[in-house]
């Protein structure tokens, strides 16, 4: 049990590195999932576009949501956003910083999926095979077909075994044309995402350094405050359970001693220490009220007590100056001179 606790504490202390590792694993898993995925284009005019774009866009959306689900800070963000105002205001800039930090990590796996999909070219070939320019790439001397028949023939381009339009346009020519466009879009997408990541990670702090530092500091504070509150609650619950169990067995021991005429055993030495850790909260109702008060009205972020006002409104004005006490040696020398 202690080993699992040590591992859990290590993961909590290195949560950012752990989340970066999880995002990297998800990115590699998304690429591996696509390579293991059996892509089967329906080769029907009405379903090719839906199937191709669905494979291109739906899995990235699922991976994006999984990136938020696996991030422990999403619950902290929701609690901070939905909590009452109380004595502590809510800074929207901090909430935006927290959300953007989580979104950046959650977007890694979807970006990898979309990039691999576009560079492979199967989805674009299936989705837009009916839009191949036959008048440019095909046989212009082929007898004219109706619009529906033309789409029916072009929809079978991704399926070589059932394609029967070689006289209209060669299957290899159409596939190469669509794959070339898909790979161009893929590299443009990679370049765009890399540029955006550079701008967000490198240039944004340069223009808003003060706001960036403030948002990062208070986001760290919210995270650490929540962890310390959970640790304090866990320690209090452990002490509460320990005292409750000790009181139960002390009562049983007293009853048995009264029945058998034996002196009751003394309470263990650590019972007083456990009672001190309860901090005066010794019943369920008081604990529930304390937890509800923490949620509704968190303490203000002001560690120093306010100055007491004097008669003219300022503490210390009109009062005689108070000199600091002299050290012992100087005090003894003073009284010897007197």
């Amino acid at each position: 049990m202690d080993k699992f606790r040590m591992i859990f504490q290590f993961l909590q202390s290195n949560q950012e590195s752990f989340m970066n590792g999880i995002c990297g694993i998800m990115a590699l898993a998304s690429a591996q999932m696509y390579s293991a995925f059996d892509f089967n284009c329906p080769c029907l005019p009405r379903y090719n576009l839906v199937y191709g774009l669905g494979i291109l866009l739906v899995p990235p959306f699922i991976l994006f949501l999984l990136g938020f689900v696996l991030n422990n800070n999403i619950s902290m963000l929701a609690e901070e956003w939905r909590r009452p105002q109380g004595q502590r205001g809510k800074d929207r800039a901090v909430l935006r910083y927290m959300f953007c930090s989580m979104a950046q990590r959650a977007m890694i796996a979807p970006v990898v999926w979309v990039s691999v999909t576009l560079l492979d070219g199967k989805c674009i070939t299936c989705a837009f095979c009916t839009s191949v320019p036959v008048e440019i790439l095909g046989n212009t001397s082929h007898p004219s077909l109706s619009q529906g028949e033309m789409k029916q023939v072009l929809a079978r381009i991704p399926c070589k075994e059932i394609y029967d339009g070689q006289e209209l346009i060669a299957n290899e020519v159409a596939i190469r044309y669509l794959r070339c466009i898909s790979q161009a879009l893929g590299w443009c997408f990679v370049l765009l995402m890399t540029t955006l990541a550079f701008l967000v990670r490198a240039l944004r702090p340069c223009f808003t350094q003060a706001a960036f530092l403030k948002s990062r500091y208070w986001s760290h504070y919210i995270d650490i405050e929540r962890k310390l509150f959970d640790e304090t609650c866990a320690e209090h619950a452990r002490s509460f359970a320990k005292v409750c169990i000790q009181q139960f067995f002390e009562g049983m021991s007293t009853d048995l001693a009264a029945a058998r005429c034996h002196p009751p055993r003394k309470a263990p030495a650590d019972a007083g220490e456990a009672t001190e850790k309860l901090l005066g909260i010794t019943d369920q109702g008081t604990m529930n009220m304390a937890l509800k008060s923490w949620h509704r009205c968190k303490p203000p972020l002001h560690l120093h007590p306010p100055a007491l006002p004097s008669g003219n409104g300022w503490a210390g004005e009109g009062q005689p100056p108070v000199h600091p006490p002299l050290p012992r040696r100087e005090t003894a020398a003073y009284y010897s001179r007197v």
Side-chain angles (χ1 to χ4, degrees), residues 56-135:
L56 179 65
L57 300 177
V58 173
F61 181 72
I62 297 175
L63 292 172
F64 182 72
L65 294 181
L66 282 177
F68 277 101
V69 171
L70 296 177
N71 198 323
N72 295 329
N73 293 332
I74 185 65
S75 58
M76 179 181 63
L77 176 62
E79 291 174 5
E80 184 66 18
W81 179 48
R82 294 293 300 171
R83 71 171 176 85
Q85 189 79 9
Q87 298 182 8
R88 182 187 302 181
K90 291 186 288 187
D91 193 348
R92 297 186 180 274
V94 177
L95 299 179
R96 285 195 300 268
Y97 174 83
M98 296 169 60
F99 177 79
C100 292
S101 299
M102 290 185 288
Q104 290 174 15
R105 293 190 179 97
M107 285 181 62
I108 296 177
V111 167
V112 172
W113 177 277
V114 174
S115 302
V116 172
T117 304
L118 290 176
L119 293 176
D120 184 64
K122 293 180 181 178
C123 289
I124 297 298
T125 301
C126 179
F128 298 100
C129 58
T130 56
S131 302
V132 174
V134 180
E135 62 277 2

Side-chain angles (χ1 to χ4, degrees), residues 76-307:
M76 179 181 63
L77 176 62
E79 291 174 5
E80 184 66 18
W81 179 48
R82 294 293 300 171
R83 71 171 176 85
Q85 189 79 9
Q87 298 182 8
R88 182 187 302 181
K90 291 186 288 187
D91 193 348
R92 297 186 180 274
V94 177
L95 299 179
R96 285 195 300 268
Y97 174 83
M98 296 169 60
F99 177 79
C100 292
S101 299
M102 290 185 288
Q104 290 174 15
R105 293 190 179 97
M107 285 181 62
I108 296 177
V111 167
V112 172
W113 177 277
V114 174
S115 302
V116 172
T117 304
L118 290 176
L119 293 176
D120 184 64
K122 293 180 181 178
C123 289
I124 297 298
T125 301
C126 179
F128 298 100
C129 58
T130 56
S131 302
V132 174
V134 180
E135 62 277 2
I136 299 176
L137 303 176
N139 186 7
T140 56
S141 62
H142 189 272
S144 59
L145 300 174
S146 64
Q147 192 71 16
E149 293 175 345
M150 180 77 69
K151 288 186 177 181
Q152 190 74 26
V153 172
L154 295 178
R156 298 176 183 176
I157 289 177
C159 308
K160 295 182 180 181
E161 61 276 5
I162 63 173
Y163 181 65
D164 55 356
Q166 293 290 347
E167 298 179 355
L168 178 63
I169 183 174
N171 180 270
E172 189 66 24
V173 172
I175 290 179
R176 284 178 177 271
Y177 172 78
L178 294 172
R179 185 170 294 177
C180 176
I181 295 177
S182 179
Q183 291 179 352
L185 292 175
W187 286 115
C188 291
F189 180 77
V190 171
L191 178 61
L192 177 63
M193 291 294 104
T194 306
T195 305
L196 288 178
F198 172 76
L199 294 177
V200 171
R201 301 288 293 181
L203 298 183
R204 188 171 70 91
C206 298
F207 293 101
T208 58
Q209 184 67 21
F212 176 76
L213 291 176
K214 183 188 71 171
S215 301
R216 186 172 62 178
Y217 175 86
W218 289 115
S219 66
H220 291 335
Y221 172 83
I222 293 172
D223 186 21
I224 295 173
E225 183 188 55
R226 185 191 182 190
K227 291 178 182 178
L228 292 178
F229 181 78
D230 292 341
E231 292 175 2
T232 305
C233 288
E235 185 178 358
H236 187 278
R238 190 179 298 108
S239 302
F240 196 102
K242 189 173 184 178
V243 173
C244 186
I245 293 172
Q246 287 176 351
Q247 289 180 355
F248 171 76
F249 282 103
E250 287 175 6
M252 293 293 296
S253 177
T254 304
D255 294 340
L256 291 175
R260 300 180 181 179
C261 298
H262 292 297
R265 295 183 178 180
K266 295 183 179 180
D270 57 348
E273 182 181 356
T275 306
E276 291 179 357
K277 292 182 179 180
L278 294 178
L279 302 176
I281 303 177
T282 57
D283 61 274
Q284 184 178 7
T286 307
M287 190 65 207
N288 292 337
M289 185 173 62
L291 294 175
K292 188 180 296 183
S293 176
W294 175 264
H295 170 70
R296 290 182 176 178
C297 186
K298 288 187 177 182
L301 299 176
H302 184 76
L303 302 181
H304 300 286

